Amino acid sequence: MDPQKADLRRSKLSIWAAYFNLRMMPHGGAILLPIILVTTGWVSSLTHDGCDYARLTGPAVEILTGSSSIPFMHIGMSAYRVPQFYPASNSWRVAYSSDCRPYSHPSIIEDRAWVASEWLNFSSIVVGGTVMMFLWSGTCLTLRKNYWRSIGVGALLAAFLQLCSFVFFSTRLCHTTTKTFLDFEAGREIELSETNASSCSLFFASKCAIASICLWLAAGLLILMGEYPRPVPKLIAHDDDERAAMIRQKYPRIRTRMNARPNNSQQNHSQQSRSLA
């Protein structure tokens, strides 16, 4: 490559970096804790395989599996997983290596609460991911004070949306008393005196959602209630003397060594005085 073209490209990159104030950690280490909290919360919201959101028990298990002997099953927003019976231990266990089964009639099973939970969960992931990207950009770009506050509001919004997604546990499938799919589709419910109602309890994905809520909430409160991490002023050296002064100011050990070590002019002057004497 031509050296002149390489120098021109470097000068354009330096102008672009100076325009956007591009540098490493302009806000210092104070931005690292919110980054860790938001990133961990976003990863927690994605930690699921699609069929481990809740643990379903009761008559609804027979609706989905067609068997009255299965005591429970794991359900998600898009699929479910059926346990298997192990005679050696005389217990029902879930093989997590097995694939998730999609719902055969999702349009009938999914009610308004189910659809709302899906959209709220998706919105929280999008908002949390956007907040995470803005925070990570603060490691090399300067974030203004209003942007910093907006990031805190976004973290709280992501936590609120994730909290509202727990409306999934109020779906009709989690409270039905019917045992057949036809009765469930027709809306016929059995009296509670004849059979127990279905119930959904927290499982792996919903517990991870609670963890993401706590992490996003902590990050939002830390950003909004804490002080704005003001960016460190960027010093630009116009010549070699200013650059050397900036280095001595930043690294005092170098300054003490340079002061303790005599320069060449002092050494030559001392040698000349000794020769004349």
Side-chain angles (χ1 to χ4, degrees):
M1 182 182 293
D2 190 2
Q4 294 182 355
K5 292 183 179 180
D7 294 339
L8 182 61
R9 182 174 296 179
R10 292 194 192 97
S11 62
K12 289 182 178 180
L13 291 176
S14 61
I15 293 172
W16 180 83
Y19 177 79
F20 289 100
N21 200 8
L22 181 62
R23 52 200 170 105
M24 184 60 67
M25 299 297 293
H27 295 277
I31 198 175
L32 291 178
L33 183 56
I35 288 177
I36 293 173
L37 292 174
V38 171
T39 305
T40 310
W42 188 72
V43 173
S44 299
S45 65
L46 295 176
T47 308
H48 61 86
D49 59 358
C51 55
D52 56 356
Y53 192 81
R55 188 175 187 268
L56 177 65
T57 57
V61 177
E62 186 175 352
I63 295 176
L64 296 176
T65 61
S67 175
S68 60
S69 60
I70 300 176
F72 68 93
M73 61 185 301
H74 297 161
I75 62 173
M77 297 182 183
S78 58
Y80 64 93
R81 184 180 281 120
V82 180
Q84 299 177 359
F85 181 74
Y86 291 85
S89 59
N90 194 22
S91 62
W92 289 86
R93 296 181 182 179
V94 174
Y96 296 100
S97 58
S98 61
D99 297 332
C100 298
R101 302 180 184 180
Y103 295 105
S104 57
H105 302 282
S107 59
I108 299 174
I109 296 176
E110 297 177 358
D111 52 3
R112 294 181 179 179
W114 193 302
V115 176
S117 177
E118 289 180 339
W119 279 103
L120 289 169
N121 181 51
F122 175 75
S123 301
S124 67
I125 294 174
V126 172
V127 175
T130 305
V131 171
M132 181 186 65
M133 291 175 59
F134 269 99
L135 276 177
W136 276 106
S137 66
T139 58
C140 56
L141 297 174
T142 302
L143 297 175
R144 297 180 181 179
K145 189 174 183 179
N146 55 345
Y147 293 167
W148 180 256
R149 299 299 179 188
S150 300
I151 290 173
V153 174
L156 294 180
L157 178 61
F160 177 73
L161 292 173
Q162 189 67 264
L163 179 63
C164 293
S165 67
F166 280 88
V167 71
F168 179 86
F169 292 94
S170 64
T171 56
R172 184 164 166 254
L173 184 67
C174 292
H175 300 279
T176 185
T177 58
T178 59
K179 294 183 179 182
T180 61
F181 196 87
L182 294 176
D183 292 339
F184 181 82
E185 183 180 3
R188 292 189 292 268
E189 298 291 338
I190 303 174
E191 295 294 334
L192 293 178
S193 58
E194 299 180 4
T195 180
N196 295 325
S198 304
S199 63
C200 293
S201 58
L202 297 174
F203 199 57
F204 181 75
S206 56
K207 292 178 181 179
C208 290
I210 294 176
S212 66
I213 292 172
C214 297
L215 292 168
W216 282 334
L217 181 62
L221 294 178
L222 181 64
I223 293 173
L224 294 178
M225 300 182 66
E227 295 182 359
Y228 168 67
R230 298 187 178 277
V232 180
K234 184 178 180 180
L235 301 178
I236 302 175
H238 298 281
D239 52 16
D240 295 337
D241 294 336
E242 291 185 1
R243 187 177 292 105
M246 290 167 56
I247 293 174
R248 288 195 297 268
Q249 183 180 2
K250 187 175 182 180
Y251 303 101
R253 293 183 179 180
I254 298 178
R255 180 175 58 186
T256 56
R257 292 177 182 176
M258 294 177 64
N259 294 334
R261 183 183 301 174
N263 53 21
N264 295 331
S265 61
Q266 292 177 354
Q267 291 179 357
N268 295 332
H269 180 71
S270 61
Q271 292 178 0
Q272 291 177 2
S273 60
R274 290 177 182 175
S275 62
L276 292 175

